[in-house]
Structure formats: C-alpha cells, structure tokens
Amino acid sequence: MKLRYENSIELLQGTLDLLILQTLQWGPRHGYGLIQAIRVGSGEVLQVETGSLYPALHRLERKKWIKSEWTVSENNQKVKSYKLTATGKKQLAAERSNWERLTAAMAGILNPTEGA
Amino acid sequence: MKFWRQNKDEELDAEIRSHLDEAIRDRLARGEAPDEARANALREFGNVGLVKEVTREMWGKAPLERLGQDLRFGLRMLRKNPGFSFVAILTLALGIGALTAIFSIVHTVLLRPLPFAEQDQLVALWKRDLISTQPFVELSIAEVRDWGQQAQTLASVAVLPATVYGYGYVLTGRAEAVQLESAKVSGSFFSLLGAQAAHGRVFNESDDVVNGAKIAVISDRVWRERFNADANVIGQSVTLSENNFTVIGVMPAQFEFPKGADLWLPIKTVVPARWAENYDSSFLTAVGRLKPGVTLAQAEAELNTIVGRIAAAHPETNANGHRIVITPLASHLFGDARPALWLLLAATAMLLLIATANIANLSLARATARRREFAVRAALGAGRGQLMRQLLTESFLLALAGGSGGVALSYWLIKLLVRVAPADIPRIEEVSLNLTVLLFSLGVTLVTALLCGLVPALTASRVIINQGLNQSLNEGGNRMSGGAGARTRSALVIAEVAVTVVLLVGATLILRSFVNLSRLDLGFDPTNTLTMQLRLQGAKYANKPAARRAFFKELIERLEAKPGIEAASAVLIRPLEGAVGWDTPFTLEGQSETAAKQNRVPNFEAITPHYFRTIKLPRTAGREFNDFDTDQSQPVAIISATMAQTLFGAGVDPIGKRLKLDLANESLRTIVGVVGDTRYRALQDTRFDLYIPFTQWGPGFVNHFAVRTARDANAMLPLVRNEVAALDATQAITGVATMDELVATHLAQPRFSALLLNWLSGLALLLAAIGIYGVLAYSVAQRTGELGIRRALGAQGRDIWQLVIGQGMRLVLSGLGIGLVASLGLTQWLQTMLFGVSPTDALTFAGVALLLLLVAVLACWIPARRATQVDPLSALRHE
C-alpha cells in the first residue's frame, strides 16, 4: 500500500478530516456541535476554527463521505446536521490506519531503540 | 446556474445563522447577558463573511461556469504558445482536410454511385461456362424470361446488350444522317431500374411484344444534338435504318446506362420473332432486382437451379457447364475504382493517426513543462478530474480550430483531386461537401481531439497528483522524463513508425505495379498513332455497306499518299477503347460442337488492309489482308500468335486451316496470316485476337479510324480532317486521341493511386521523423544533468552518440518490426490492385526498411550532436 505524502497544507486538512469523520461516527451533528465535541473530546486542546470547519464539512460532503440534512434540534430549531456515509466509514478506517502508521513511524524516530 | 448558487448561498446563510443561534443559546444558558452573548458568540465565530468565502470555494463551480472557465483558460494557454498551437492546428488541418476530401469522393462515388432507386438490390447477371472456362456467356431472351418467371428471389429482370458498339441504326430524314448506337432492352428495363423519362414516357412490358409498334426512347444528348431539344419530338416519327419508329420519350442527361447508348428500343419489336423464343439466340446480358431481404447467395443458388433446369430442357444450347454469375450492379459497372478509393481512404486515415500521435506527444511534452502550474492548482484543491478536463478542453479547442481549417482546406482539395482524378471514376463531377461529409468531418475532429488530448491528460494529471507540490515545484522534476511520461511518448513514436512502415510498403507496392503496367509491351506500337471516331453519316452511306467501304478505301488511299502519313486504316473498335468489344465464339473446321465450346473466345475486329502497319503490330506468318479480299472472294481471317499455338500446336502451320465464326451469314474462313499478341482491350489482359477484312464484314460498320504519322501525331489532325472533308464535307470526326493518350487513360487510375499514396506515405515519413526527433530532443534536454555526469566521468563523444542514437534506434526498430509484420498481413488486401509484384515482395519490404532506418538516423542526428555538446560543468551546476 502506497503511503501518500501530501504536502504540508493538506496534512492539516487530512487531520481535520479524520477528526470530523471520527466524531461523526458517534452520530450526526451540526457544525457548532462538532466544534464542541472535538474541543471536549481532545481535552480543550483542539479548538477548530469555523474558517477551517465549514470548508472541511462542505468538502467532505462533496466527496460523499458525509451527508447533510436539515433537521429539528432539541430546541425546536432548524439545524443542518451531518452524518457519516458508508463510503465515509471506509474512508475513516483508511485514515485511521494511515494515522497509526504515521505515529508509529514518528515514534520510531523520536524514541530510537538500541541498535537502530 | 445562478439559481444553484443562490440556493446554496441562502442555505449557507441559514447554516451559519443556526450555528450562531446555538452558540448564543449556550451562552445564555451559562448566564451571559443577551447582548454579551451575541457579541461573544460572533467574536468566537470569527469573520462571518470570510468564513462564507472560504466555504463557498469548496463548492467549485457550476458545470457551465466551469466549462466557460476552462475554455477561457484554454484559449489563453494556446495564445501563450503560438508556436505549438500553430504547428498543431496546421498539422490537424492538413490531416482532417485530406481525410474529409477523400471521404467526400468515397461517399459520392462508392456509397451512392448509381442514379437508380435502391441500387443495393440491383444486380448484373450473366453466365459463365465451367467447361470452356469462358467467363462471360451471353444470354437469350427466352432464358432470361424464364428466370423472371421462375425465380422467387428476383423481383424483376431485364435484358440489355452486352455491348452497344456495332449495333448502330442510321437516323435519316433530319439534317445529316448519322449513326446512333442502340440498346435493345426488355420492356421491364426502365421500371426495374426505377428510371423515369425526362420528357414523354419510357416503354414498359406491354410495349415489348413481337410485332409490336416500333417505338424508341432517345438519350438527352441525341435530343439536344439531333432534335434541337424540341419538346415536340414526343410522338414524332423518325426513320432509323429505313424503318419508322415513334419517339415516345427522352431520358434525363444523367441516365447513361448502358454507357454509350443513344437509343433504347423494346427488344422484341426489333429482332426476328424466333430470337425471342430461341434459347440458342444468345447475345445479351441482364440486370435484375432482388426482392427485399434476399441475399446474393440465395439468388445465386436459386438461379443456378433454374439454369440447370433450362440446360436440361434444351440440350441444343449445350449449357450443361453454365453457371450463373451475379454481382451487385455498382461494383460490376465501376468495380475498378472501388479498391483504389478505399485504399486511399485508409491511407489518409493512417496519416491522420500519425499526425495525431505527433500532436499527442507534443502536448505531453508541454504538459510536462507546465507541471508547476498543475501542481499549484492541485495544491489549491483541483482534483484529477479537473486537471484532465482542463487539458482535454485545450485539445478540443485545438482540434476544433484544426477541424475548421481542415474543412476549408478540403473544399480546395476536392477541387484539386477532381481535376487530377482519372475520368472514368463515376460521378466524379458530382463530388462536393455535403451534409454527410461535414458530419463525418465533425466526427473525425472529435475523435482526434480525444486521442490528442486523452494521452497527455491522463499521464500528466496522474503524475502530478502523485508527486505532490514539493517535487513538482523543483526544476529537477525528472520523474516526468523517466517513468510514465516517457513510456507513453516512446509508445506513441513506436506506433507512429509502425503505421508509417505499413503506408510505405503499400505505397511502394502500388507504385511498382504502376511502373510495371506502364512498361508493358502492348504488342503494338502506340507512338505516333492518331485515332478517332469516324462514324459515317448521310443518306449515301445509310444502309449501304458498299458505299461505306468505298469511302474508306478512297480516304486511306488519299491519306497514305501524303507525306508525313505512313499508313491509315479503319477498324471496328480501336485498341484500348475500354472494356468493350465483340467476343465471337468460333468452331474450327472438323471440330465437334462440344469441343468448340471449349475454345477460348477471341476478341473480334473488322479491319482495312493496312491496319497492322498502322498500329505496327508485327506479322509472324502468312500475309496481310489486301484489296483482293472482297465480299466476292474467299472468306479469310488472321489470328494472333498464341491463338494459333493453342489451337493448332507449337510446330504446326496454321495457314490454310479454316474456322467458322458464330455470327450471322458466316461461312468457313481460311486463316491467311498470324500476327503478334496484343493487349487489345485493357493493359492487364491478353486475349485471342481474330481479324477479318472490313469488306467481308456483313454489317459493314466501323467505328474508328487510325493513322500512323511520321512524327507528331496531333500535328497531322488538320490534314486528316481536310481529307475527310474533301471527300465528304458532312462527315464528323470525334473522340480524337493519340494511341499514347489512350494508354495514358488506362494508366490514369493506377497513376492516380500511386501518386496520392506516395504523397501520403512521404508525408507520413516526414511526420514520423519529426516524432522521433521530438522524443529524442526532449529526452536529451531532460537528461542534461546525467549527460554532464557521464562526460565528467570520462565518456567520449562517441559514447554519447551511441547512447542517444541507440535510444532512438531502439524505438525505430521496434516500430519497424511491428510495421513489417503488420504489412505482411495487411497487404493481402491489395492483391487485386497489384500487377507484376506480390503482396509480400521481399525487395519492397527490404527497401522500405532501409529507407526508414536511414531517415531515422538522420532524425537522431541533431539531438545526438546536441548531446555530445553538453558541457559537463554547466550541466552539473544546472543539476
């Protein structure tokens, strides 16, 4: 399997994509909800800007990895929420696997074992 | 498009608004004051306008907007590279223009050559004899009538003469009397063909009865020349060979079937009654119309059964060996032209393919040069599809420009081609750019665009996306020179070379055939021979064979007395007049009828005594005809050498032997001389030839007159005209041509094919050379660094040469190999067009290979030189 080294800008994009897909795995959310979920889930470390999130959401929707739908929230408000598609699930698995390989590789460099 | 955007904008607004509402609600729930909550929420959100902007960019464009953008960008790109654009558009215009021109000829000439209704169902019918191996057996009225009645596969059938020459009627009573050639046909003739009269009516089956009224349909030419295009000719009575006929119709100008016919007559009204019933009175051929859905094979099978039945029922016809021959009428009439035209079409298509490959290569190189641009666009989010679309749009623009240029070019090309094309290609005058041709041109343009654009689009976009921004941005992006890009370019060049080889082989074979044909020994000497049609007209000759003979005798005597004229004579049909002639079966004295059936049928000519001197046909035995051979003296004949040898054996003297011709009023003729073989009717075949004196030829018609001159034949024409006029001022000389010109006419088609094909293959060779050069030059430029290193490490100029030329020749040899193998298979299709050279002629193949290798080496020269001139230092710095 060929690892695709995307350029620096896209690396960030890829990470955000992974976060969104992973979060949506637990159920559909709207934009505001996603930001909160990621913030909370990362222990207040990752605060995603709307300027990054919304383009990412629209892009992921174009790639058909997520699907949007106008529903009614608990507060009886109309919200546009996003849901993971079947293709999106597959993509999520692929990206996770990529990520794990990457982190393992990084660990290998940063914490060299004897004889390396 | 606007609505699409508007909707999405509104939706985005709503989405952001609902985000803000949620955020505000949360803050309110945490206890913030409403104003604070709103302000904080907005602040946290960020610049709403900016967020909307960046989000909108993710939408991409509406398809039409995208197309517009692609087109604008494409145009800008093409303008920025005028050199490339110009070369590409010009090449495409030439290729598409040539293909369109040839196709328009093919379309008019081959795809709808006959002015008849539903010509696909029309067939020509005759018989062949398996026993005597005679390929053309004439038919009788009775037999064809039976076919019409018994055949389920035929809708209708009609007889027509096998040749119109020699069955003339003399029209008298209006201005000068003149000889008209007639076509005696069945009543069903016109309805079968679906032909209508331009004026009056045509005759039908009810008119075609024994002892029926004598009626005639005349041709447009006769109507104009003899009747002043007077519409009142309908219903008028005219005198044809002292019989009264009523003119009932005039045919349109385009109706020329059979070729040369001036009149059409219902056959049963103008032949003896017993000929209509007699199965043995065979002197005709036939046309038929198949029922819809019937195949040739079905009709052939059924007709063979019927032929067999008739042969059994009428043993006097000795028809046991007869089989039907059935061919589509179009290919029967115009068979010769077809293969050549299809060949030209195929060759032109191949040339276009080569041109396309060159342009694809060029585009690929340019796409490589633009990799930085693509890389940046990819980084900004362009997908592979988008890049491909961009490149394809550019190639479509190129192709469209090339295509329009091509159509304009084809207009002129068509005019040129029609002018140089041999005259016997049917309906060549009608060739023009019509809707079908334009549609074809459009289709070709689109396909070319796809081919030109797809290759670079696929390769470039894939490599770009895979490589990533960093590498693409660097100058040393050598990944494009090796790897996928170079492989494709090499493949294209190999393909180009292979196709060029096929073209070259085909063209060379055709050229050699033409050369062989033009060097043929005709048997007679065509130089300094003036020929013409001289049909006697006037009351004094009408139906008076004696008067005609006297005229020619006098004319010949007067002409031969003149300085500058060596000999003169009259003949029934001059040599190389075309595929027309009298095939006259004969029986040797003492030969049984069955044995006679096996005799090869000779070409028959009636001649005046000095004919052989006139055309310089050598005599090998016996004597010529002379003035003592008259209608009162012993009937004599002269035959050709091979005929004598075949009939009597090698050492046997044929002089004195006798034979009887299968014609009316004939008795045994004594052979008094033998002359050399000739190629009388066409360059490609020799037949038995049989000559009898004009004075002993009952009907007494001759059509042609020939004069051998001491020098320039054409210069003698005024002299001949004067002498003819002096004898009788009312006579007309037409169809003047020197024998050399007649030969040239027969060579016209092979010459045309050879010329065009060699032009095409020459162009192809040039394009292939350019292709090879291009690939090598590019490769050398890319490998500057590597070459510098090699130099620095001690490589000599010679080594560099070998490297570069080796690279080039590897490509060429692969292409050559593929091309030669393909040629071995493909040239089989040329079989019918070749003369004197086989489709797998080793000399040709070897010659082509040599030529290609030579040109290839030349093409590799400059890049190789440049490679040796690489300065190691600067190259390494470059790297």
Side-chain angles (χ1 to χ4, degrees):
Chain A
M1 184 199 70
K2 205 159 47 152
L3 260 177
R4 303 214 344 213
Y5 287 103
E6 294 166 306
N7 57 39
S8 50
I9 299 174
E10 291 191 359
L11 196 58
L12 225 49
Q13 248 182 23
T15 319
L16 180 55
D17 289 356
L18 182 54
L19 289 173
I20 293 175
L21 291 175
Q22 174 68 21
T23 311
L24 288 180
Q25 196 180 43
W26 307 119
R29 288 186 185 273
H30 49 68
Y32 180 69
L34 265 170
I35 295 182
Q36 307 313 316
I38 292 173
R39 187 167 55 80
V40 168
S42 67
E44 305 289 326
V45 174
L46 297 176
Q47 324 245 22
V48 185
E49 298 285 333
T50 52
S52 304
L53 180 80
Y54 277 105
L57 281 176
H58 283 239
R59 184 167 39 81
L60 291 178
E61 184 173 16
R62 264 189 81 192
K63 292 211 166 115
K64 309 236 190 292
W65 292 339
I66 62 179
K67 202 157 110 71
S68 71
E69 206 180 14
W70 281 96
T71 52
V72 182
S73 73
E74 316 94 42
N75 305 318
N76 243 355
Q77 300 297 315
K78 277 187 74 177
V79 289
K80 188 175 180 189
S81 74
Y82 295 84
K83 163 165 101 158
L84 200 60
T85 62
T87 333
K89 283 208 187 93
K90 288 199 198 108
Q91 184 66 19
L92 173 59
E95 302 241 0
R96 280 198 71 145
S97 150
N98 262 358
W99 179 257
E100 265 139 40
R101 277 186 63 172
L102 182 59
T103 44
M106 293 288 289
I109 302 293
L110 295 173
N111 308 314
T113 52
E114 280 180 18
Chain B
M1 176 174 56
K2 258 186 151 191
F3 295 133
W4 178 76
R5 277 200 94 91
Q6 225 169 7
N7 280 339
K8 290 194 85 124
D9 274 339
E10 284 170 5
E11 197 178 345
L12 182 59
D13 283 347
E15 187 172 6
I16 290 178
R17 236 178 303 127
S18 83
H19 177 124
L20 285 168
D21 287 343
E22 291 285 313
I24 293 173
R25 203 181 328 263
D26 272 2
R27 286 179 181 276
L28 287 176
R30 281 204 292 268
E32 287 184 30
D35 297 328
E36 259 189 64
R38 171 163 284 110
N40 286 335
L42 266 170
R43 193 171 29 82
E44 193 180 37
F45 187 92
N47 186 331
V48 172
L50 201 54
V51 171
K52 281 195 193 166
E53 270 284 337
V54 289
T55 309
R56 276 203 211 106
E57 269 172 35
M58 286 300 131
W59 293 345
K61 308 255 175 193
L64 224 60
E65 230 180 275
R66 254 201 312 259
L67 183 64
Q69 199 179 45
D70 282 341
L71 279 174
R72 272 194 300 269
F73 192 75
L75 275 171
R76 212 170 37 224
M77 273 293 109
L78 292 180
R79 256 204 304 269
K80 270 181 70 180
N81 287 285
F84 165 75
S85 308
F86 179 71
V87 168
I89 293 177
L90 187 67
T91 314
L92 281 179
L94 280 174
I96 295 179
L99 193 58
T100 306
I102 302 271
F103 178 77
S104 70
I105 295 180
V106 166
H107 177 253
T108 305
V109 170
L110 297 185
L111 297 180
R112 38 170 211 100
L114 294 173
F116 306 138
E118 268 136 67
Q119 60 200 2
D120 294 329
Q121 292 164 329
L122 290 176
V123 290
L125 299 162
W126 65 91
K127 293 193 293 186
R128 62 191 165 100
D129 191 347
L130 295 179
I131 299 180
S132 72
T133 70
Q134 196 179 318
F136 182 79
V137 174
E138 283 155 333
L139 311 169
S140 62
I141 301 175
E143 176 159 17
V144 176
R145 177 202 60 208
D146 284 353
W147 293 356
Q149 284 171 347
Q150 296 176 22
Q152 298 298 317
T153 50
L154 290 176
S156 56
V157 70
V159 295
L160 62 155
T163 171
V164 297
Y165 278 100
Y167 292 110
Y169 281 82
V170 182
L171 172 68
T172 52
R174 353 180 38 95
E176 314 131 347
V178 66
Q179 173 184 321
L180 299 178
E181 302 296 354
S182 71
K184 303 186 179 102
V185 299
S186 305
S188 50
F189 181 74
F190 293 105
S191 61
L192 186 153
L193 293 172
Q196 309 279 354
H199 306 273
R201 69 171 184 96
V202 292
F203 49 80
N204 50 43
E205 287 174 273
S206 59
D207 297 308
D208 186 26
V209 289
V210 175
N211 296 326
K214 291 209 180 340
I215 54 178
V217 172
I218 59 178
S219 73
D220 181 79
R221 190 181 66 80
V222 166
W223 182 54
R224 286 176 201 287
E225 287 178 11
R226 301 287 148 199
F227 295 91
N228 291 322
D230 182 6
N232 289 322
V233 71
I234 311 294
Q236 270 190 31
S237 175
V238 295
T239 314
L240 294 169
S241 292
E242 295 174 353
N243 286 313
N244 286 329
F245 287 77
T246 313
V247 175
I248 63 162
V250 180
M251 292 311 286
Q254 317 92 287
F255 188 83
E256 280 188 335
F257 185 61
K259 201 153 173 71
D262 298 316
L263 310 163
W264 290 266
L265 309 167
I267 189 166
K268 290 200 195 133
T269 62
V270 286
V271 298
R274 53 185 171 72
W275 287 18
E277 295 301 322
N278 201 343
Y279 286 83
D280 226 354
S281 303
S282 47
F283 56 104
L284 300 160
T285 182
V287 286
R289 181 176 280 280
L290 298 175
K291 288 206 178 121
V294 170
T295 65
L296 276 180
Q298 288 171 330
E300 184 173 348
E302 188 189 22
L303 281 168
N304 269 329
T305 321
I306 299 174
V307 164
R309 216 183 296 150
I310 295 175
H314 298 272
E316 74 277 11
T317 58
N318 273 325
N320 289 326
H322 289 185
R323 297 283 177 273
I324 195 83
V325 178
I326 178 170
T327 54
L329 189 59
S331 60
H332 168 63
L333 289 177
F334 311 128
D336 299 328
R338 295 185 152 210
L341 285 174
W342 285 121
L343 181 64
L344 281 174
L345 191 66
T348 318
M350 282 198 253
L351 183 68
L352 186 58
L353 277 176
I354 295 176
T356 308
N358 258 4
I359 296 179
N361 249 341
L362 266 174
S363 303
L364 191 53
R366 284 207 338 119
T368 312
R370 289 163 63 185
R371 61 187 182 278
R372 250 179 294 166
E373 171 207 329
F374 292 142
V376 171
R377 298 177 82 201
L380 289 177
R384 182 169 177 206
Q386 197 165 338
L387 288 177
M388 271 189 61
R389 219 177 24 242
Q390 175 65 48
L391 284 168
L392 274 177
T393 310
E394 286 174 32
S395 88
F396 265 95
L397 280 172
L398 268 180
L400 227 64
S404 350
V407 167
L409 183 69
S410 70
Y411 179 72
W412 299 111
L413 269 179
I414 288 175
K415 285 205 148 83
L416 178 70
L417 281 174
V418 167
R419 196 129 47 92
V420 302
D424 57 349
I425 295 186
R427 303 179 99 200
I428 190 83
E429 338 66 68
E430 292 177 37
V431 173
S432 68
L433 284 176
N434 54 41
L435 189 61
T436 318
V437 173
L438 286 172
L439 282 176
F440 172 82
S441 195
L442 185 65
V444 165
T445 307
L446 289 175
V447 169
T448 309
L450 223 77
L451 288 175
C452 270
L454 216 58
V455 164
L458 280 170
T459 315
S461 60
R462 175 163 40 106
V463 174
I464 293 296
I465 299 291
N466 284 348
Q467 271 190 345
L469 187 57
N470 277 339
Q471 281 170 285
S472 305
L473 283 178
N474 289 342
E475 276 293 345
N478 282 333
R479 294 273 288 280
M480 282 293 264
S481 70
R487 264 205 306 273
T488 317
R489 301 197 74 197
S490 304
L492 279 174
V493 167
I494 293 177
E496 267 185 64
V497 170
V499 174
T500 305
V501 167
V502 171
L503 258 181
L504 279 171
V505 168
T508 312
L509 286 174
I510 297 283
L511 182 65
R512 289 187 63 186
S513 300
F514 167 67
V515 168
N516 286 341
L517 268 178
S518 62
R519 292 220 189 110
L520 274 183
D521 180 14
L522 295 168
F524 52 89
D525 179 7
T527 61
N528 289 341
T529 314
L530 184 66
T531 71
M532 62 206 79
Q533 267 186 335
L534 181 50
R535 296 183 191 172
L536 293 179
Q537 50 198 45
K540 13 185 214 307
Y541 306 105
N543 307 311
K544 295 188 177 67
R548 283 194 283 259
R549 291 171 198 153
F551 173 88
F552 281 112
K553 186 160 184 302
E554 175 91 26
L555 178 62
I556 290 168
E557 264 171 38
R558 292 172 72 135
L559 282 173
E560 287 186 342
K562 295 270 183 275
I565 294 191
E566 294 179 357
S569 59
V571 61
L572 176 61
I573 301 181
R574 64 185 161 187
L576 298 179
E577 176 66 0
V580 291
W582 281 61
D583 290 325
T584 309
F586 63 95
T587 315
L588 284 178
E589 184 175 33
Q591 207 180 26
S592 68
E593 270 200 58
T594 25
K597 288 268 158 191
Q598 314 224 13
N599 292 334
R600 202 150 46 116
V601 178
N603 178 45
F604 167 88
E605 291 300 335
I607 59 175
T608 58
H610 292 169
Y611 186 59
F612 301 126
R613 252 179 259 179
T614 310
I615 63 172
K616 283 230 178 98
L617 178 56
R619 194 176 66 241
T620 60
R623 65 171 180 85
E624 285 188 305
F625 298 138
N626 52 42
D627 291 331
F628 296 112
D629 294 309
T630 63
D631 53 351
Q632 307 298 321
S633 65
Q634 182 197 43
V636 291
I638 292 178
I639 61 177
S640 59
T642 306
M643 184 172 173
Q645 198 168 34
T646 314
L647 290 178
F648 303 111
V652 180
D653 185 14
I655 311 295
K657 301 266 193 285
R658 302 204 287 178
L659 48 75
K660 182 166 176 305
L661 297 175
D662 196 7
L663 293 172
N665 303 323
E666 279 284 322
S667 50
L668 278 171
R669 288 184 177 272
T670 313
I671 297 172
V672 294
V674 180
V675 290
D677 293 327
T678 66
R679 296 176 180 273
Y680 207 89
R681 291 194 203 166
L683 297 174
Q684 287 95 333
D685 68 83
T686 49
R687 300 169 174 248
F688 285 175
D689 299 312
L690 187 141
Y691 309 86
I692 66 169
F694 174 40
T695 45
Q696 296 182 351
W697 165 230
F701 286 111
V702 284
N703 284 311
H704 295 110
F705 195 75
V707 170
R708 173 157 292 274
T709 62
R711 274 184 295 279
D712 179 22
N714 275 314
M716 289 290 131
L717 181 59
L719 177 64
V720 175
R721 279 195 199 276
N722 284 340
E723 287 305 321
V724 170
L727 267 184
D728 187 337
T730 61
Q731 298 311 317
I733 289 181
T734 57
V736 177
T738 65
M739 210 63 222
D740 279 328
E741 282 164 12
L742 287 176
V743 173
T745 312
H746 276 257
L747 288 175
Q749 243 187 49
R751 172 182 288 121
F752 182 61
S753 308
L755 202 70
L756 279 192
L757 274 179
N758 279 281
W759 264 97
L760 287 172
S761 59
L763 272 176
L765 190 60
L766 183 66
L767 282 176
I770 292 176
I772 298 170
Y773 166 82
V775 148
L776 273 186
Y778 187 74
S779 158
V780 164
Q782 287 297 95
R783 293 164 73 179
T784 312
E786 174 202 335
L787 291 171
I789 293 177
R790 282 178 187 265
R791 278 295 212 155
L793 290 179
Q796 299 300 319
R798 205 184 47 234
D799 302 319
I800 305 285
W801 266 111
Q802 275 178 343
L803 189 69
V804 176
I805 298 216
Q807 183 188 5
M809 294 314 276
R810 260 197 302 275
L811 291 177
V812 170
L813 283 171
S814 311
L816 181 62
I818 298 175
L820 287 176
V821 168
S823 301
L824 277 174
L826 289 173
T827 49
Q828 298 303 324
W829 290 93
L830 290 178
Q831 186 80 47
T832 48
M833 295 179 59
L834 296 181
F835 186 81
V837 66
S838 104
T840 53
D841 180 57
L843 190 61
T844 307
F845 277 70
V848 166
L850 216 65
L851 176 66
L852 187 75
L853 287 172
L854 206 69
V855 170
V857 166
L858 282 173
C860 299
W861 202 264
I862 299 180
R865 265 196 79 211
R866 286 231 198 94
T868 58
Q869 286 167 350
V870 165
D871 174 26
L873 278 173
S874 61
L876 287 169
R877 230 178 295 137
H878 205 230
E879 187 75 8

